[in-house]
Each structure stands twice: as C-alpha cells, then as structure tokens.
Amino acid sequence: MTFKTKLLLITILPLIAVSVLIGGTTYYQSRKLIDAETQSVEQRILAAKRQEIRNYVSLALTSIEQIYRREPGGREAAQEEVKEILTNLTFDHDGYFFVYTLDGTNVVHPKLPHLVGENWWDLQDDNGDYVIRNLITQARSGGGFHQYVWHKPSTGSGEEKLGYAILLNKWGWMLGTGLYTDDIQKEVATIRAEFAQNIRQTLLVTFLITLAGIAVAGTLIAWVRFSEQRFADSRLKELPNRIFQVQEQERTRVSTAL
C-alpha cells in the first residue's frame, strides 16, 4: 500500500465513520420524535372530538328537554315528537343521533331507517365488537364513549367511529351520537409523511456534506502529492548540477594537491 493510499484512508475513513454515526443517530432520534409527535397530535384531535360530541349531545338534550320532562299529550305522543326531532337533527355530512331501548331495539336512526323497530342486541362490527350492548353499558354507567366500526353514510363503507351514549332513564332509552375517526388517521398519516420527508432531506444533506468532505480531502491530498512531486522533480533537476560542481571541486582539489 502506497503512502498516498494510506494518507487517503487515514483522512477519509474517520470522516465516513462520523457521517454514518451522525446519520444513524439522526434517523433513530427522528423516528422516536415522529412517533411521539403523531401520538400527541392524535390524542389532541381525539380530545377535541370528544368535546365536540358532548356538545352535540347537549344540543340534542336541549332540543327535547321540555317535551321529555313535561310529556305534553301523554308519553306516547311525547316520544313520537322526540323521535321526529332527533330524526331531523343532523350535523355535518355524517353526523346524526340514534336511540335504542335498553333491550337493544332501535327507535331512531336517520341514516339507516331499516334498523328502526328491530332488535340489534347481538349486532357485532367487523372486529367482533358488540356495538349496541357496549353503548347501552356506557349509557347505564352515566354516559361514556365507545370506539367501534360502523357504516359511514358518505362513503358507504365501514369506518372507525367514536360513539357517545347517555341514558334517558324515564323512558328507558339510550341516546347516542358519534363522529367518524378515519380522518384522524389520514391527518396523522400526513403528518408522519411530512416528518419522514424531513428526515430524508436531513440524511441527504448529511450525505452531500460527507461527499463534499471526501472531495475536499481528496483534493488536498492530491495537491500535497503534486507539491511533493514538483519539489522532488526540482531537486532531481538540481542533482546533475550539484554532481558536476562536486566533480569540478574534486578535480580542482586534486590538481592543487599534485
């Protein structure tokens, strides 16, 4: 191995090692940051949706409060009026209210009217979750949230939904509503993709800096080698003259001695 090669390796190998170490550390830390940040974003969005759902339920209760409390015209007439109000009380494209009796019989469902009048106590979603049972359980416990898969009217497909149910105790009804959460996954995926793009750009910059460092080191080594070569050539050119001078000096010395 030539001296030039050794010098090149001694200069470049540490630079490559440091660059690889920096790139690996940056990638690992960035992945951890992405996971933490996306989880934080998802939790904030879910918290906002929970509050939004509670607000919608409060709106529905305000709309039916007087009828539910006073029952004008008798209970049956009051219930029919409340059914009408809740059927027409929708929000956004896919927001609506539903009502089930505590045995699982549907009373109100604006988007899937074929459910009305049928018992859905044993209904399971695509994940095997007993949707109506669990919503009724949440309502009996004082009101609560439940995540499940349900038909989304705007797409016609089953999507993740965050439901909220409360109990209308006097009538034995479970009143509920919910918001679909597939948009959360899309938003989180978008944020994750943006972070991943930033990581790729950072690694690309690190790679380019490494290449630049290698190029600079190679150029410096080549310049040093070229300077050494020029110096050696100049000394070689001086050598014959020096030899001639020494020979002349020796001849002069010998002549003088003779």
Side-chain angles (χ1 to χ4, degrees):
M1 186 179 293
T2 64
F3 174 77
K4 180 180 179 181
T5 303
K6 292 180 180 179
L7 183 60
L8 185 64
L9 291 177
I10 292 173
T11 305
I12 292 177
L13 286 180
L15 180 62
I16 294 175
V18 170
S19 299
V20 170
L21 181 62
I22 292 174
T25 303
T26 300
Y27 179 80
Y28 176 73
Q29 294 294 335
S30 298
R31 296 303 303 180
K32 289 181 62 178
L33 178 62
I34 287 175
D35 292 338
E37 189 64 25
T38 51
Q39 288 178 6
S40 177
V41 169
E42 187 172 4
Q43 291 302 317
R44 288 198 299 269
I45 296 174
L46 280 174
K49 282 189 175 292
R50 288 190 182 99
Q51 186 57 49
E52 186 178 357
I53 291 170
R54 290 191 185 97
N55 293 339
Y56 285 133
V57 171
S58 295
L59 174 63
L61 289 176
T62 300
S63 300
I64 66 173
E65 180 181 8
Q66 294 298 323
I67 302 171
Y68 175 72
R69 186 164 57 85
R70 296 181 180 180
E71 296 183 348
R75 175 162 297 184
E76 185 174 346
Q79 288 178 342
E80 290 300 322
E81 189 173 354
V82 167
K83 289 179 188 179
E84 184 70 20
I85 292 172
L86 294 177
T87 299
N88 295 319
L89 192 62
T90 59
F91 52 91
D92 296 333
H93 296 291
D94 300 301
Y96 58 88
F97 295 91
F98 51 83
V99 176
Y100 287 82
T101 60
L102 298 184
D103 65 353
T105 300
N106 183 267
V107 176
V108 174
H109 204 298
K111 302 297 183 180
L112 298 174
H114 66 277
L115 299 181
V116 177
E118 301 293 331
N119 187 280
W120 303 100
W121 180 259
D122 294 323
L123 177 67
Q124 293 177 271
D125 67 6
D126 296 340
N127 298 325
D129 180 80
Y130 287 97
V131 177
I132 308 307
R133 292 186 192 181
N134 289 324
L135 286 170
I136 290 174
T137 298
Q138 292 296 330
R140 284 181 178 275
S141 65
F145 291 95
H146 182 61
Q147 189 99 20
Y148 55 95
V149 178
W150 194 259
H151 174 270
K152 188 174 183 178
S154 60
T155 63
S157 60
E159 301 289 353
E160 287 285 339
K161 185 174 185 177
L162 180 62
Y164 183 73
I166 63 170
L167 183 64
L168 299 180
N169 190 53
K170 186 168 67 173
W171 290 355
W173 283 6
M174 178 267 288
L175 168 65
T177 188
L179 292 173
Y180 293 91
T181 58
D182 53 310
D183 58 330
I184 296 179
Q185 300 305 320
K186 293 177 182 177
E187 186 169 349
V188 169
T190 299
I191 293 172
R192 185 176 290 273
E194 290 176 354
F195 275 118
Q197 178 65 24
N198 291 335
I199 291 176
R200 287 192 293 269
Q201 291 177 353
T202 301
L203 293 177
L204 177 60
V205 170
T206 302
F207 176 71
L208 293 176
I209 291 174
T210 302
L211 287 181
I214 292 173
V216 170
T219 302
L220 290 175
I221 292 172
W223 180 79
V224 170
R225 183 62 178 170
F226 178 71
S227 299
E228 290 177 347
Q229 188 67 42
R230 289 184 60 186
F231 178 75
D233 290 343
S234 65
R235 296 303 297 269
L236 286 174
K237 289 179 181 179
E238 294 175 358
L239 184 59
N241 295 329
R242 181 60 179 167
I243 292 173
F244 179 75
Q245 292 175 1
V246 170
Q247 289 174 344
E248 287 297 319
Q249 290 174 0
E250 186 63 19
R251 290 193 190 100
T252 301
R253 188 186 66 79
V254 172
S255 298
T256 300
L258 292 175

